[in-house]
Amino acid sequence: MGTATKTKPQNTVTLTDNATGKTIELPVLDGTLGPRVIDVRKLYAETGMFTYDPGFTSTASCDSAVTFIDGDKGLLMHRGYMIKDLAEKSDFLEVCYLLLHGDLPNKKQKKEFVNTITIHTMVHEQMLSFFRGFRRDSHPMAVMVATVGALAAFYHDSLDIEDPKQREIAAHRMIAKVPTIAAMAYKYHVGQPFVYPRNDLSFSENFLHMTFSVPAEEYKVSPVLAKAMDRIFILHADHEQNASTSTVRLAGSSQANPFACIAAGIASLWGPAHGGANEAVLKMLAEIGDKKNIPEFIKRAKNKDDGFRLMGFGHRVYKNYDPRAEIMRKTCKEVLGELGIKDDPLLDIAMELEKIALQDPYFIEKKLYPNVDFYSGIILKAIGFPTSMFTVLFAVARTVGWVSQWKEMIEEPTHKIGRPRQLYVGQTERPFIPIEKRK
Ligand code: CMC
């Protein structure tokens, strides 16, 4: 097949097969923002050919009205609202409502929504026994994948995806219960008793309370830390069709129950190229150990044969500063100030690394800027989370994004099971040789 060329009228492209001279006209679709897309849905039927795009670098897998990113400008919007405005002027539950319903809530809607989420925060008591089956040294993400998936075994009355009410209840349950499960994963990990949610606290205060309080003494939630936690949740709430969200959509496209789909998303998030990067950043900063070692690590990151990458740098979509990283950088300073941490050696290394990398021609040419995970790990460590919990916190925040995108897909009347094609490069047909005759 030859090249795709724009033709008149502007809303089609013509594809020419240079081998046969055959042409096919393909519609071009316009979104409200972002690149136009060539609609290839009829391509196979009309040409017998597939498109080839491993890693989906040029493929829109769905249409969505939830989140928009302009990677070149470093811009992120949820339902048309800039992330900076949401992070500075809103709160996490309001952003949850926005993502789920499409508009910001009015006062009454917000009150009702906050109340609904709050009254769903407890988990079935039997879940506690389920937790106790894990080894104490299990990675909390392993516990998350299993326990969130297990919600389907506890909440049978919200599994029918055809029923809008059940879909809504499942969405509320996940937004409310995933933080409780995350805090339980932490408590189990450190060998402390589980702490039940408190409905008089805000979402983020309650999360810190369930995570850090112990029955033996009173725990006062710091408003600065609660605000920082809330902001971290907002910044991670959704990010359009990333690996974990696409995983949730693909799992959901088979009409699997919502809890199973979100568990699939958590599994995908775990990897260091995705949500696992915040944990990997801290490990890397600790490995660098001293500012004087930075040039050596920069050299390694540039060496193709080394395989080492600067964690917290680069993004598939952002070819500019990740807008979330800028807000995270500011929040980082606020948190360290509140905790009275004046000289954090890891922060010093991070600042220096960022400065050097942003001046280095390799990073400039490849447009590798700090991403959201570059600073979040430093904040989370300062708040008191072990590195193994970092990706768990990402999952707590992203649950609403996954649920909103899943809901959007299910509510799309023409949705189909996701089923990518392939370019087969394996053996062609060959005769079966009985085992006695094989060499
Ligand atoms: N350090 C050094 N080189 C890099 C880095 C890095 N962090 N990231 C990309 N490159 C190079 C890469 O070697 C490649 O070079 P070349 O063109 O010469 O082959 C070029 O930049 C493009 O990289 P890519 O891997 O083709 O780009 P991608 O879009 O497939 O990968 C990424 C995006 C985020 C996986 C990658 O930048 C990366 O591995 N970054 C480090 C991990 C990280 O911080 N991940 C968190 C992402 S933000 C949170 C989230 O959304 O989950």
Side-chain angles (χ1 to χ4, degrees):
M1 192 49 95
T3 49
T5 49
K6 260 190 208 157
T7 54
K8 284 181 192 167
Q10 283 266 305
N11 60 348
T12 61
V13 293
T14 303
L15 207 59
T16 308
D17 184 339
N18 291 334
T20 62
K22 267 195 198 157
T23 62
I24 167 178
E25 197 137 302
L26 296 167
V28 175
L29 309 177
D30 279 310
T32 46
L33 288 170
R36 303 157 76 211
V37 303
I38 303 169
D39 180 351
V40 294
R41 280 174 292 182
K42 294 214 170 89
L43 186 72
Y44 178 57
E46 292 189 13
T47 66
M49 281 187 265
F50 299 142
T51 55
Y52 178 66
D53 186 17
F56 300 99
T57 54
S58 298
T59 298
S61 60
C62 61
D63 38 60
S64 178
V66 182
T67 293
F68 175 75
I69 303 173
D70 184 327
D72 292 327
K73 291 190 185 140
L75 184 151
L76 166 64
M77 290 192 305
H78 296 314
R79 305 281 192 187
Y81 295 100
M82 287 288 188
I83 190 65
K84 191 167 186 293
D85 284 337
L86 294 173
E88 286 173 358
K89 300 174 191 162
S90 187
D91 60 58
F92 181 64
L93 280 188
E94 193 165 78
V95 173
C96 288
Y97 184 98
L98 174 71
L99 289 168
L100 268 180
H101 297 285
D103 290 302
L104 286 168
N106 61 28
K107 275 190 186 157
K108 183 170 170 278
Q109 289 163 330
K110 182 161 179 190
K111 201 170 163 212
E112 276 170 17
F113 184 72
V114 171
N115 184 51
T116 305
I117 299 301
T118 308
I119 59 169
H120 277 106
T121 47
M122 274 171 55
V123 292
H124 194 291
E125 195 64 9
Q126 203 62 26
M127 288 279 292
L128 274 62
S129 327
F130 191 73
F131 261 84
R132 295 192 206 285
F134 291 103
R135 285 168 53 139
R136 290 271 174 189
D137 60 356
S138 308
H139 194 290
M141 279 300 276
V143 175
M144 290 294 288
V145 173
T147 47
V148 173
L151 289 175
F154 289 91
Y155 299 100
H156 300 155
D157 57 347
S158 49
L159 297 180
D160 180 1
I161 63 155
E162 301 301 336
D163 178 349
K165 191 68 203 159
Q166 292 202 31
R167 288 202 297 270
E168 191 182 23
I169 296 171
H172 292 158
R173 280 187 167 142
M174 276 185 282
I175 295 167
K177 292 183 200 304
V178 170
T180 309
I181 293 175
M184 288 168 80
Y186 171 77
K187 287 299 194 193
Y188 193 73
H189 196 47
V190 294
Q192 290 178 0
F194 296 134
V195 174
Y196 286 98
R198 261 185 46 192
N199 289 358
D200 59 320
L201 298 176
S202 74
F203 184 91
S204 295
E205 286 169 344
N206 178 48
F207 181 67
L208 290 174
H209 161 78
M210 289 189 296
T211 308
F212 294 118
S213 73
V214 287
E217 54 191 66
E218 200 193 336
Y219 174 77
K220 271 210 155 64
V221 184
S222 148
V224 176
L225 298 191
K227 178 91 200 135
M229 199 70 250
D230 207 69
R231 195 170 277 174
I232 291 174
F233 288 149
I234 294 175
L235 295 178
H236 287 88
D238 192 48
H239 215 225
E240 51 120 299
Q241 309 312 319
N242 53 81
S244 58
T245 302
S246 299
T247 303
V248 169
R249 280 186 178 259
L250 197 54
S253 77
S254 74
Q255 295 170 16
N257 74 74
F259 302 106
C261 297
I262 302 308
I266 296 174
S268 168
L269 186 75
W270 194 356
H274 191 9
N278 49 16
E279 188 176 341
V281 169
L282 265 224
K283 282 189 185 144
M284 177 190 73
L285 294 176
E287 204 188 329
I288 295 175
D290 196 291
K291 283 199 248 178
K292 71 174 181 346
N293 300 328
I294 291 176
E296 178 201 326
F297 280 83
I298 297 263
K299 203 170 147 200
R300 282 184 60 197
K302 294 196 275 188
N303 179 0
K304 282 264 161 292
D305 300 328
D306 190 304
F308 171 79
R309 284 186 170 200
L310 276 196
M311 287 292 127
F313 274 80
H315 199 275
R316 168 62 62 79
V317 183
Y318 293 120
K319 302 300 166 200
N320 202 324
Y321 215 99
D322 178 339
R324 302 167 301 170
E326 280 190 70
I327 306 166
M328 207 59 104
R329 195 178 206 254
K330 200 172 140 226
T331 309
C332 186
K333 294 207 164 150
E334 283 168 16
V335 167
L336 296 184
E338 162 74 6
L339 295 169
I341 303 171
K342 288 201 182 69
D343 300 307
D344 182 70
L346 294 187
L347 181 66
D348 287 350
I349 297 171
M351 303 271 270
E352 187 66 14
L353 184 64
E354 183 187 25
K355 202 170 99 195
I356 295 177
L358 289 176
Q359 289 165 358
D360 191 292
Y362 173 93
F363 289 86
I364 295 170
E365 275 158 29
K366 295 190 188 301
K367 300 186 175 166
L368 298 170
Y369 290 86
N371 58 49
V372 68
D373 289 324
F374 190 64
Y375 281 105
S376 62
I378 296 170
I379 309 178
L380 297 174
K381 178 175 170 277
I383 296 179
F385 291 102
T387 45
S388 56
M389 279 297 288
F390 292 1
T391 315
V392 172
L393 300 170
F394 195 154
V396 169
R398 187 55 59 87
T399 295
V400 66
W402 292 327
V403 168
S404 306
Q405 300 262 356
W406 168 82
K407 192 169 157 285
E408 182 180 63
M409 178 190 70
I410 299 290
E411 288 169 4
E412 166 67 53
T414 57
H415 84 263
K416 279 176 177 263
I417 186 166
R419 205 321 185 168
R421 302 293 196 156
Q422 65 170 14
L423 174 67
Y424 178 69
V425 292
Q427 295 280 353
T428 52
E429 185 178 349
R430 48 184 173 161
F432 180 84
I433 302 165
I435 194 156
E436 354 17 288
K437 292 195 179 156
R438 283 176 223 158
K439 286 188 192 137

